[in-house]
Amino acid sequence: MEKKLDQLEKEIADALNNANTADALEELRIRYIGRKGALTEILKNIKNVPSQDRPRVGERVNALKRALENKVKEKLEAAGAARGESKEQIDLSLPGSRYEIGSKHPLTQIIDEICDIFLGFGFRIVETQEIETDYYNFTSLNIPDDHPSREDFHTFFLDVPPERHEKRGREYKVLLRSQTSTGQIRVMEKEKPPLQVIIPGRVYRPDATDASHSFMFHQVEGFMVDRDIKFSDLKGVLDLFCKSMFGKNVKTRFRPHYFPFTEPSAEVDVSCIICGGSGCSVCGRKGWLEILGAGMINPKVLEGVGISPEEWTGFAFGMGVERIAMLKWGINDIRIFYENDLRFLKQF
């Protein structure tokens, strides 16, 4: 037995010299002092050792075990220190870190609220691409080639090769969409009436940033195409939307306006939610607040997507999300939505 222990002691010393990784050290520990290790087996069978030799053998085996455990621990700590790891142990009795639960951004909340209202009216949500061609952003919406909005200082044109429109047989410049109305065309190209769709998303215009303008903002476009759709249907839908968004006592007003893609067209106002229509600084003493544009879809737009205006009619509307949020919550500067100031965001 003494010779066997001498041999094991030499084997363990050689193995420790060659074991330089955590995996190798763990393998060595298991081989000699694991449940089926060589030293463990000797202790299990110590009853077979002559009685006069048992104390000496047991003491030596335990000494070898302790020496091996200490050496393995030292080498592991040395390896950790070489990697810059701290020897400090984690104190599980310390309290954990507190993480605050976040919330949706106020603009996301308004988009969700707008979409929920129109979902209740039977509309469905469609999201379309932000990088467009000037065909979808202008031509398909009956906006002429000489319209000021096509100028470089009114639209973010991209410095990339133009895209070819196969049906039109020509190429169109690529840009960041300046309105979500582009989605209206893409939906009507792929689907046939009846249609009842809202399209939320970001739009881009190179406007100088100030309290009421931003080069990037959000819109929600909506349109409906079916047989015998009238302007009165548009008025009824938008009046109900305004009451759902701002309160049942709010009044709506439609003012004649011009948009190339709708005819007739209107600007839609609501009675001032601050003063109730009596006149204040928010509404400029007028008692009304402008919130969106709308109108009956121009027959030329319907013809352009292969829908007969003789059989189908429809209306469309578009609103700025930031505008709705500013009116609803009494915010007077659009820039605050994008500054990521937690003092502001935590209020919502």
Side-chain angles (χ1 to χ4, degrees):
M1 181 58 70
E2 292 292 339
K3 290 183 179 180
K4 185 174 182 179
L5 289 175
D6 289 341
Q7 184 181 353
L8 283 173
E9 186 174 6
K10 186 177 183 304
E11 283 181 11
I12 291 171
D14 292 340
L16 281 169
N17 288 332
N18 296 323
N20 297 309
T21 66
D23 290 341
L25 288 167
E26 178 63 13
E27 182 183 348
L28 187 153
R29 187 193 67 80
I30 293 173
R31 189 193 317 159
Y32 291 102
I33 58 176
R35 292 178 60 188
K36 295 183 179 180
L39 293 175
T40 306
E41 289 297 320
I42 292 176
L43 290 176
K44 287 181 180 177
N45 298 301
I46 200 168
K47 62 180 183 293
N48 299 323
V49 177
S51 58
Q52 67 273 16
D53 296 331
R54 288 177 192 172
R56 187 176 64 257
V57 171
E59 183 178 350
R60 189 173 179 189
V61 170
N62 285 324
L64 284 174
K65 287 183 63 177
R66 287 193 298 269
L68 176 57
E69 288 171 345
N70 292 335
K71 195 63 178 178
V72 167
K73 183 179 179 182
E74 286 176 11
K75 297 197 74 168
L76 286 174
E77 288 179 352
R83 294 194 301 269
E85 296 178 358
S86 173
K87 297 179 183 179
E88 183 179 350
Q89 298 296 311
I90 297 174
D91 186 350
L92 299 179
S93 66
L94 290 173
S97 300
R98 182 181 180 89
Y99 295 96
E100 294 187 22
I101 298 176
S103 61
K104 288 184 179 179
H105 191 277
L107 292 179
T108 303
Q109 293 182 39
I110 290 294
I111 292 173
D112 289 347
E113 186 173 355
I114 293 171
C115 290
D116 286 345
I117 291 171
F118 282 104
L119 286 173
F121 297 165
F123 286 72
R124 61 186 174 91
I125 301 170
V126 174
E127 294 184 358
T128 56
Q129 61 203 62
E130 296 178 12
I131 297 178
E132 276 290 6
T133 66
D134 59 351
Y135 170 76
Y136 288 99
N137 203 78
F138 298 117
T139 306
S140 63
L141 293 167
N142 196 40
I143 299 175
D145 291 342
D146 59 353
H147 195 277
S149 63
R150 288 180 179 258
E151 299 291 340
D152 290 348
F153 53 83
H154 282 307
T155 300
F156 282 115
F157 287 98
L158 302 181
D159 187 18
V160 297
E163 290 187 8
R164 184 174 181 81
H165 193 292
E166 295 301 330
K167 291 185 179 179
R168 297 285 169 175
R170 54 165 289 190
E171 294 181 335
Y172 290 91
K173 293 188 289 186
V174 180
L175 50 84
L176 294 177
R177 67 180 180 188
S178 60
Q179 52 196 351
T180 48
S181 301
T182 58
Q184 177 189 147
I185 303 301
R186 287 196 174 274
V187 171
M188 290 194 295
E189 276 186 343
K190 297 176 181 178
E191 303 178 30
K192 297 305 177 186
L195 298 169
Q196 206 168 337
V197 175
I198 53 170
I199 306 165
R202 286 183 293 266
V203 296
Y204 306 84
R205 298 177 189 176
D207 294 336
T209 302
D210 57 28
S212 57
H213 296 86
S214 174
F215 61 86
M216 186 279 294
F217 55 99
H218 299 76
Q219 283 187 341
V220 175
E221 170 86 9
F223 71 97
M224 182 175 182
V225 179
D226 206 334
R227 290 184 173 86
D228 199 30
I229 296 294
K230 302 179 288 294
F231 197 89
S232 57
D233 298 315
L234 170 63
K235 292 185 68 175
V237 167
L238 293 183
D239 183 70
L240 187 55
F241 163 74
C242 291
K243 286 179 167 54
S244 301
M245 176 61 69
F246 298 109
K248 62 181 181 180
N249 294 324
V250 74
K251 297 178 181 178
T252 55
R253 180 178 72 173
F254 289 72
R255 291 179 288 107
H257 195 72
Y258 169 74
F259 298 113
F261 33 86
T262 53
E263 180 60 37
S265 306
E267 293 276 13
V268 182
D269 305 330
V270 295
S271 54
C272 180
I273 58 177
I274 305 299
C275 65
S278 60
C280 66
S281 59
V282 175
C283 61
R285 311 296 172 185
K286 298 176 182 178
W288 296 94
L289 297 167
E290 177 188 326
I291 61 164
L292 58 88
M296 300 299 291
I297 298 176
N298 194 308
K300 291 184 179 180
V301 173
L302 293 175
E303 289 175 349
V305 293
I307 295 175
S308 171
E310 301 296 326
E311 182 180 1
W312 307 95
T313 55
F315 62 72
F317 56 85
M319 66 189 78
V321 174
E322 284 82 350
R323 174 72 171 164
I324 300 292
M326 292 170 74
L327 293 176
K328 188 175 181 68
W329 288 319
I331 298 169
N332 58 9
D333 194 326
I334 193 174
R335 292 170 291 193
I336 199 171
F337 288 119
Y338 310 114
E339 291 175 349
N340 299 321
D341 190 330
L342 291 179
R343 293 172 299 176
F344 169 74
L345 296 176
K346 283 181 177 179
Q347 299 177 62
F348 304 93

